[in-house]
Amino acid sequence: INAQRTSYKKTLQCLKMAEDLNQTAGRLESQQSWDMANKLYTEALSIKLKNLGEQNEDTISQYVDLGRIAAVQGRFLDACANYERAMNFYRKQKTKNSSYPRALESYADMLAHNKQSAKADQLYEEARTYYKSVDAPEKKSDKTRIRMNSSKS
């Protein structure tokens, strides 16, 4: 029992460290320190993979963070790979949380910026479908609301 408690405490400490790395990476990202933010997000991912596994929602959200940073840095293929990994996980889930449509929109924004409008439009539509399915207009991001309204014109 003591060994289990010790292991549990170590896991919690590691996950706390991953959360601290994420928070610091977020601050660095807001300061446009992309390389350092990427490094910290990558370290947080490594900790989450080891302690939570590949299919955990917190681990998957880390791929979205890495995709966003890669996109800002102009690493289009890396960004797509990270976003696709996250999307594959989210699509397999029976229940989806609010991070799913935000990830779709982030990925679509990156694709639209890189002149991949057909795939971007598919992702925006997937986000709109999600929002309609949960019937929660207050949860819709401004971008999706704007795109939904503009598509009606």
Side-chain angles (χ1 to χ4, degrees):
I1 294 179
N2 282 340
Q4 287 176 330
R5 271 192 217 142
T6 302
S7 175
Y8 180 72
K9 284 182 179 181
K10 285 182 181 180
T11 297
L12 288 178
Q13 288 172 339
C14 288
L15 293 175
K16 171 70 172 115
M17 183 180 295
E19 182 58 32
D20 291 345
L21 289 167
N22 266 338
Q23 289 177 359
T24 302
R27 284 192 296 274
L28 289 166
E29 187 177 352
S30 70
Q31 297 167 3
Q32 300 180 357
S33 296
W34 312 121
D35 289 335
M36 279 304 296
N38 186 66
K39 181 177 179 179
L40 296 184
Y41 282 138
T42 301
E43 288 179 28
L45 172 63
S46 185
I47 291 169
K48 288 179 181 182
L49 283 168
K50 182 176 180 183
N51 291 278
L52 298 173
E54 175 126 2
Q55 297 301 309
N56 182 277
E57 209 168 284
D58 287 336
T59 304
I60 298 306
S61 71
Q62 206 67 60
Y63 287 110
V64 175
D65 293 333
L66 287 166
R68 189 179 56 251
I69 291 293
V72 168
Q73 292 180 308
R75 296 182 293 117
F76 183 75
L77 294 178
D78 288 341
C80 287
N82 282 305
Y83 279 122
E84 283 298 325
R85 179 174 244 154
M87 293 302 102
N88 289 335
F89 169 80
Y90 284 130
R91 288 176 182 134
K92 289 177 188 174
Q93 299 305 301
K94 291 194 184 340
T95 58
K96 296 173 177 64
N97 66 26
S98 62
S99 61
Y100 166 67
R102 287 194 310 264
L104 284 168
E105 291 173 344
S106 180
Y107 187 16
D109 289 346
M110 189 259 322
L111 290 169
H113 180 76
N114 284 283
K115 312 257 188 278
Q116 302 284 321
S117 57
K119 182 155 184 171
D121 289 344
Q122 290 174 344
L123 295 171
Y124 287 130
E125 182 58 33
E126 193 173 336
R128 280 192 294 273
T129 300
Y130 169 82
Y131 288 127
K132 288 176 187 175
S133 74
V134 295
D135 195 30
E138 69 278 359
K139 291 185 179 181
K140 294 179 184 173
S141 78
D142 290 336
K143 281 185 224 167
T144 300
R145 270 192 241 117
I146 290 167
R147 291 192 197 314
M148 287 176 75
N149 290 334
S150 67
S151 66
K152 293 177 185 175
S153 309

